[in-house]
Amino acid sequence: MGKISEEKKVADKVKARLYEKGFKVSYQFSKNTKSIYLKIDNGACCSIRISDHKNYKTRSKFNVIKDYEVKWTKHNNKTIKRFYNFNMLDNLISDVEAERANKIFRYGYLRYKSIRDKNAFYNDNQKVA
């Protein structure tokens, strides 16, 4: 049996805490690195990238990087990206909750829910094909 990486442990913690708050969370593992991508509410909310290295080209809004110095926000082409370290999971969870609240405020709960459920239907059908 192999050793579980720190990234996987952090991903499990984040997934459990978000699940407690009513989020739907799924994993996607990188083929070439130790990065783990968490898809929040079937893609209706922004994704989380958990890794041991920096990658500023990532499309994930929330980036958790091992040994990262401080919470940092980067604005790139009207896109905001936030960076955290493995000890800042409370800040990450609260920022994800705020992001979902903003999207629900912007679209309305029924529209957000329909986007979430539509994406779930699309993702389930794509796995079958």
Side-chain angles (χ1 to χ4, degrees):
M1 183 168 272
K3 178 180 163 186
I4 298 175
S5 69
E6 281 186 76
E7 293 79 14
K8 176 74 167 108
K9 290 177 185 176
V10 170
D12 288 339
K13 279 185 195 176
V14 171
K15 182 178 179 179
R17 293 193 47 201
L18 288 174
Y19 184 77
E20 288 174 1
K21 298 189 180 283
F23 287 89
K24 295 181 179 181
V25 182
S26 61
Y27 289 122
Q28 185 175 6
F29 297 91
S30 174
K31 294 177 183 176
N32 300 324
T33 65
K34 292 182 179 180
S35 298
I36 300 171
Y37 298 88
L38 300 180
K39 193 173 187 180
I40 309 297
D41 283 347
N42 298 317
C45 195
C46 296
S47 63
I48 300 171
R49 176 180 171 267
I50 300 171
S51 184
D52 64 343
H53 63 282
K54 297 176 187 174
N55 179 358
Y56 296 108
K57 295 180 183 179
T58 183
R59 288 185 263 153
S60 299
K61 180 170 188 168
F62 302 106
N63 297 276
V64 182
I65 301 172
K66 182 178 182 179
D67 300 329
Y68 204 75
E69 295 296 323
V70 295
K71 180 178 175 184
W72 188 64
T73 303
K74 178 182 177 184
H75 299 274
N76 187 14
N77 296 334
K78 298 182 182 179
T79 303
I80 298 172
K81 296 180 182 181
R82 298 174 191 255
F83 296 85
Y84 309 86
N85 65 31
F86 284 7
N87 298 320
M88 301 171 76
L89 298 183
D90 291 334
N91 293 339
L92 170 69
I93 300 299
S94 64
D95 288 349
V96 171
E97 285 181 301
E99 179 68 23
R100 179 170 70 172
N102 288 337
K103 288 198 176 204
I104 289 173
F105 180 75
R106 182 185 306 155
Y107 301 126
Y109 177 73
L110 294 177
R111 170 117 186 199
Y112 179 85
K113 187 176 180 298
S114 71
I115 292 169
R116 182 190 70 194
D117 295 343
K118 180 181 177 184
N119 289 347
F121 176 76
Y122 176 75
N123 291 337
D124 289 343
N125 286 338
Q126 192 155 6
K127 289 177 185 175
V128 173

